[in-house]
Amino acid sequence: MSNIEISVTDPMVPPSPPVMSGPRRTILRRLEPIYWLGPAFLLIAGVVITPVFFMVWSSFRNIDSVGFDHGWAGFTSYHNLFALPDLGPVMMRTIVWLVSVVGATMLISLPLAVLLNRQFPGRRAVRMALVAPWATSVFMTAIIFRWMLQPQSGLINIVGHALGLLHNIGLTSAQADWLGRPGSALVWMIIVAIFVSLPFTTYTLLAGMQAIPGDIYEAAKVDGASAWRSFSAITLPLLKPAAVVALLINLMNVFNSFPIIWEMTRGGPGDQTATSTVFMYQLKASSIPMAAAMSVLNFFVVALIVILFLRFSNWKERAI
Amino acid sequence: MKGKEESMKKRIATTVSLAMITSVLGVSASSFGAVTAKASAPKVTITVLGADYGSGPSNTTSTYWQHIAQGFMKLYPNVTVKTSTINWNDYNTKVTAQIQNKNYPDVLQGEFFPQYVSDGLLYPLSKVLSNPNAGSPVFKSSFSVKNVQYAMPFVTSARTMFYNKKLFAQAKISAPPTTWAQLLTDAKAIAKLGKIGYSLPLGPEEAQAESYLWMLGSGGGWQNAKGQYTINSKANLKAFAFLKQLVASGATNPNPATWNRTADSAKAFANGQVGMEFNGPFLTATIASAGVLKPSDYATAAIPGANGPVIKTLGVADAIQVFKSSAAKLPWIKKFMDYATNNANQLAFAHEYALLPGTVSALNSLKNDPILGSFVKALPHTVLFPSSANWTSTVLPAIKIQIGTAVTGNASSVLNQLQTLATGG
């Protein structure tokens, strides 16, 4: 890795002293980082910092539902937001959603990555197939699942009825309205979210496994280590950097996940299947500043998750 | 989100200034023309955004608007009319998003938003219609702010109870219920046949109408006579306590909060799966197109209340309103509004969707219609949705999302929350 880096940066270091000299040249030389960092900084300022500023700013304004600004409102929106009895359940649901989707995704991805790291006939086909849920628009996946769960004519219900499965768990056709009841709707949406998160996670872990040098395994074999021992003592510890990246990106993605829930239930009935992101959008229909306050809250929650996570995973020591 | 809005604003600003330049050029060209001869009129584009009353692609309202646009453009070739429609399920979300992004249509059909008037976005009706009193006077105050009318009723309806006579006969029920207690008994008897006894559409599409009809049954409502919100009143709580009992008895559709009026409730009734439901005249169109029930298989009756039938049922009007644009455009918009709301177009709409028209003259011509006639006669004796400034913009969206959960969860907490939203900052 370090060898490659040197070979990349080498041509950039001028081999001979600069042709032009003098104070003007030195200033230009000092300003050089700006040329390199400028575009990236402008991009971040325009695409990340400005919207964040407007988000925070909107939450302190008295903006009516048509979008007109009627001046400063102080902490009114935050006060109203925290007075909502639904906020607590929504935040609890967000935690359940986050932990179950990310947890299950990681647990399923690891054996999948181990499998795909082995030689077997048709491996290429399986690897390609795994890309499908990733390559498909999440929105489409959510719509297809919503159709499959349609009470009267959805595929899942029809197959379930044909096999007598639904009958066994006491569901008649009218009761098989999976997405109409908050509990079952949430379970199905978690399944869909896991389904679409698997490819990225598996591929990140697979890349991490392939980066582990083969000679370590050979040395372990010479020392007489069993397959399980070489997995637990070599693969798992060396996989940590890749796993940390996968986990972190999943945490943020799943926390911000919108299309699955919106397309399958719109957060309904009521806001009983809404996570904090969907709840923010629901609030926007009635009150822009309250939705902005909710966004600020979300922003802090996701920042907190990332900070806590990096802290506990000793990110700096091990991952880099 | 806000960044997008900003860039959108800029884009609109440039298009507006471009439009101003072209309209200035157009005006100067036409004034030149007036000197020499009756030359070409200025090029004008009118955008129309409407709600979709169809049940699918076969009878979408966009077709109706396209006919009007084509007819109008034939009369005035200098005008381009661009129309689009939004499904009622997404109407509030999409229109609100569009308006919040300052992307105003010229003509908006659907809900009347008093908030637009407070923000100075709408023309008064007198500026955009040759006869500002063409609309039914029943809805005049609903569509007015400070005694100035800003929207015309474009399509209206009254609500009543439809019941399936075949299922009533099978369940050995002799007459439609007039009280809640009778309705519960009858609905349970029909549910025993494996059908939906009473279909309760409290999904987002029109939860405000369904819940209102029940509130009226116990003497409640969204507001009192003084126009103050009374969402969590005792009468309303009584209505929801009964609904909770009705749902718990298993005599309704299983998940009322996700059951919508058109896509679920009307369709199920038309397929003969429902014993009773509250609906408007448009249900007859759905029934006819499904082809399962004959006109003799169903009938209508007064909405049952806690102790007797509801005397004043709910009257609903969907509005047509005009957003402010340029003075150069206004005369053409006025011509368009006159054309779009003429008798022929109003009646075409009424017959296509089995809804009542909004203009007095079109309504009068339907008084003896076999299906719509009785609804026309009921219309003057109806109660209406609130006309407070924050009704359509703030309260209604929250009702659509939340009220359905009151029949399964804690009704008083849901109603209290809505009341706080309606009366607070």
Side-chain angles (χ1 to χ4, degrees), chain B residues 28-384:
Chain B
S28 59
S30 69
S31 52
F32 264 117
V35 178
T36 51
K38 278 261 174 197
S40 63
K43 286 238 172 293
V44 172
T45 303
I46 298 175
T47 52
V48 180
L49 181 62
D52 200 331
Y53 294 81
S55 52
S58 60
N59 65 345
T60 167
T61 312
S62 59
T63 319
Y64 169 82
W65 282 113
Q66 275 157 23
H67 275 296
I68 290 188
Q70 279 158 11
F72 186 74
M73 289 191 285
K74 232 176 238 168
L75 288 175
Y76 304 98
N78 63 314
V79 182
T80 312
V81 180
K82 286 187 179 157
T83 65
S84 50
T85 53
I86 300 179
N87 184 299
W88 267 120
N89 289 335
D90 301 324
Y91 184 87
N92 264 68
T93 330
K94 288 197 176 163
V95 171
T96 306
Q98 190 174 333
I99 301 300
Q100 285 172 352
N101 286 325
K102 317 267 185 241
N103 180 13
Y104 308 123
D106 289 314
V107 177
L108 176 66
Q109 188 278 320
E111 299 275 7
F112 170 60
F113 291 80
Q115 181 79 54
Y116 297 168
V117 178
S118 329
D119 287 327
L121 293 176
L122 298 184
Y123 281 123
L125 210 52
S126 54
K127 283 204 169 179
V128 293
L129 269 182
S130 300
N131 173 13
N133 295 319
S136 162
V138 176
F139 302 97
K140 191 177 167 103
S141 67
S142 299
F143 289 165
S144 297
V145 175
K146 291 180 184 149
N147 292 323
V148 180
Q149 196 175 352
Y150 287 88
M152 197 192 87
F154 180 78
V155 48
T156 62
S157 70
R159 298 300 155 88
T160 185
M161 185 176 74
F162 284 76
Y163 63 98
N164 184 322
K165 290 206 274 191
K166 266 187 181 168
L167 294 181
F168 267 56
Q170 278 177 41
K172 299 194 171 58
I173 306 165
S174 52
T178 56
T179 65
W180 287 352
Q182 288 169 6
L183 185 138
L184 179 63
T185 318
D186 296 350
K188 276 192 201 160
I190 292 162
K192 279 210 184 102
L193 307 171
K195 308 285 180 186
I196 297 170
Y198 177 82
S199 172
L200 184 63
L202 286 176
E205 185 188 349
E206 220 195 13
Q208 73 274 23
E210 182 70 20
S211 34
Y212 198 9
L213 288 168
W214 287 98
M215 292 173 180
L216 291 173
S218 56
W222 295 116
Q223 293 186 327
N224 61 16
K226 288 182 200 154
Q228 295 157 327
Y229 282 103
T230 53
I231 301 177
N232 57 353
S233 69
K234 267 195 184 144
N236 290 351
L237 281 168
K238 188 179 166 192
F240 275 92
F242 173 75
L243 284 179
K244 213 168 169 169
Q245 191 190 348
L246 183 67
V247 172
S249 77
T252 64
N253 44 300
N255 299 300
T258 55
W259 185 255
N260 280 313
R261 195 197 65 201
T262 310
D264 305 310
S265 192
K267 210 173 253 177
F269 191 95
N271 285 325
Q273 298 298 313
V274 171
M276 294 167 271
E277 75 180 48
F278 301 163
N279 221 321
F282 35 84
L283 179 60
T284 58
T286 316
I287 294 170
S289 72
V292 177
L293 297 179
K294 290 190 293 290
S296 58
D297 291 339
Y298 65 91
T300 61
I303 305 245
N307 306 311
V310 172
I311 297 175
K312 281 195 149 190
T313 182
L314 171 65
V316 181
D318 293 335
I320 187 161
Q321 56 211 311
V322 178
F323 277 81
K324 283 184 183 165
S325 53
S326 63
K329 216 163 151 179
L330 185 58
W332 302 100
I333 294 178
K334 190 172 179 177
K335 282 188 172 67
F336 177 78
M337 284 289 284
D338 284 342
Y339 181 82
T341 58
N342 69 19
N343 252 9
N345 283 329
Q346 279 274 292
L347 290 172
F349 192 95
H351 288 302
E352 167 91 47
Y353 300 108
L355 273 159
L356 305 182
T359 61
V360 177
S361 59
L363 276 168
N364 283 340
S365 69
L366 284 175
K367 267 196 175 143
N368 298 316
D369 187 277
I371 300 166
L372 299 176
S374 64
F375 290 96
V376 172
K377 283 170 201 151
L379 198 60
H381 314 287
T382 50
V383 289
L384 309 174

Side-chain angles (χ1 to χ4, degrees), chain A residues 23-167:
Chain A
R24 191 162 159 252
R25 179 70 192 136
T26 339
I27 290 168
L28 281 179
R29 192 109 188 89
R30 283 213 179 131
L31 289 177
E32 200 174 344
I34 294 178
Y35 306 143
W36 295 108
L37 296 176
F41 176 76
L42 282 181
L43 189 71
I44 291 174
V47 177
V48 179
I49 297 174
T50 318
V52 167
F53 169 77
F54 276 114
M55 173 181 83
V56 177
W57 185 79
S58 311
S59 70
F60 289 105
R61 308 290 299 182
N62 176 15
I63 300 173
D64 70 25
S65 52
V66 181
F68 282 79
D69 192 337
H70 299 289
W72 187 253
F75 283 90
T76 318
S77 302
Y78 290 91
H79 182 84
N80 292 343
L81 178 69
F82 287 109
L84 285 180
D86 287 0
L87 183 66
V90 165
M91 295 314 283
M92 280 309 294
R93 196 172 309 119
T94 310
I95 293 170
V96 170
W97 165 259
L98 199 59
V99 170
S100 50
V101 173
V102 176
T105 304
M106 293 302 289
L107 285 180
I108 300 170
S109 292
L110 186 63
L112 268 180
V114 171
L115 178 74
L116 292 181
N117 200 23
R118 306 217 133 220
Q119 283 293 349
F120 61 89
R123 182 173 78 161
R124 180 185 279 267
V126 175
R127 281 189 178 181
M128 297 296 253
L130 189 65
V131 179
W134 194 7
T136 320
S137 142
V138 177
F139 210 69
M140 272 164 58
T141 312
I143 291 177
I144 290 169
F145 268 91
R146 197 186 71 203
W147 286 344
M148 290 201 295
L149 290 166
Q150 209 274 337
Q152 279 87 35
S153 47
L155 188 68
I156 289 172
N157 284 325
I158 291 176
V159 171
H161 274 295
L163 298 177
L165 289 175
L166 296 181
H167 222 74

Side-chain angles (χ1 to χ4, degrees), chain A:
Chain A
M1 195 65 184
S2 56
N3 279 339
I4 300 166
E5 267 172 27
I6 285 168
S7 70
V8 169
T9 46
D10 248 348
M12 289 188 159
V13 176
S16 53
V19 184
M20 197 170 62
S21 61
R24 191 162 159 252
R25 179 70 192 136
T26 339
I27 290 168
L28 281 179
R29 192 109 188 89
R30 283 213 179 131
L31 289 177
E32 200 174 344
I34 294 178
Y35 306 143
W36 295 108
L37 296 176
F41 176 76
L42 282 181
L43 189 71
I44 291 174
V47 177
V48 179
I49 297 174
T50 318
V52 167
F53 169 77
F54 276 114
M55 173 181 83
V56 177
W57 185 79
S58 311
S59 70
F60 289 105
R61 308 290 299 182
N62 176 15
I63 300 173
D64 70 25
S65 52
V66 181
F68 282 79
D69 192 337
H70 299 289
W72 187 253
F75 283 90
T76 318
S77 302
Y78 290 91
H79 182 84
N80 292 343
L81 178 69
F82 287 109
L84 285 180
D86 287 0
L87 183 66
V90 165
M91 295 314 283
M92 280 309 294
R93 196 172 309 119
T94 310
I95 293 170
V96 170
W97 165 259
L98 199 59
V99 170
S100 50
V101 173
V102 176
T105 304
M106 293 302 289
L107 285 180
I108 300 170
S109 292
L110 186 63
L112 268 180
V114 171
L115 178 74
L116 292 181
N117 200 23
R118 306 217 133 220
Q119 283 293 349
F120 61 89
R123 182 173 78 161
R124 180 185 279 267
V126 175
R127 281 189 178 181
M128 297 296 253
L130 189 65
V131 179
W134 194 7
T136 320
S137 142
V138 177
F139 210 69
M140 272 164 58
T141 312
I143 291 177
I144 290 169
F145 268 91
R146 197 186 71 203
W147 286 344
M148 290 201 295
L149 290 166
Q150 209 274 337
Q152 279 87 35
S153 47
L155 188 68
I156 289 172
N157 284 325
I158 291 176
V159 171
H161 274 295
L163 298 177
L165 289 175
L166 296 181
H167 222 74
N168 290 347
I169 51 172
L171 286 170
T172 63
S173 73
Q175 296 294 337
D177 183 10
W178 300 100
L179 298 177
R181 280 167 293 134
S184 59
L186 199 63
V187 169
W188 274 108
M189 292 193 297
I190 288 173
I191 292 172
V192 175
I194 294 168
F195 178 73
V196 299
S197 309
L198 278 180
F200 166 77
T201 320
T202 307
Y203 274 93
T204 312
L205 294 179
L206 183 60
M209 282 179 192
Q210 287 180 339
I212 300 172
D215 44 4
I216 305 181
Y217 290 105
E218 272 168 38
K221 214 172 202 178
V222 171
D223 287 349
S226 66
W228 170 249
R229 180 105 173 99
S230 66
F231 176 75
S232 62
I234 301 172
T235 312
L236 278 187
L238 288 178
L239 200 57
K240 200 177 171 191
V244 167
V245 171
L247 199 59
L248 196 62
I249 292 181
N250 267 325
L251 276 174
M252 290 187 285
N253 267 350
V254 172
F255 182 83
N256 289 324
S257 174
F258 180 80
I260 297 174
I261 298 178
W262 188 252
E263 197 37 60
M264 287 177 76
T265 65
R266 308 264 136 133
D271 52 31
Q272 292 174 357
T273 57
T275 61
S276 59
T277 310
V278 176
F279 188 57
M280 179 268 290
Y281 192 76
Q282 287 185 328
L283 285 177
K284 200 207 73 166
S286 289
S287 168
I288 295 175
M290 237 156 103
M294 188 68 216
S295 300
V296 173
L297 182 65
N298 278 342
F299 184 77
F300 277 112
V301 170
V302 88
L304 191 73
I305 293 173
V306 172
I307 291 167
L308 284 180
F309 183 77
L310 292 183
R311 234 197 149 134
F312 284 114
S313 65
N314 296 325
W315 158 270
K316 277 187 189 157
E317 289 157 37
R318 306 245 181 136
I320 296 175

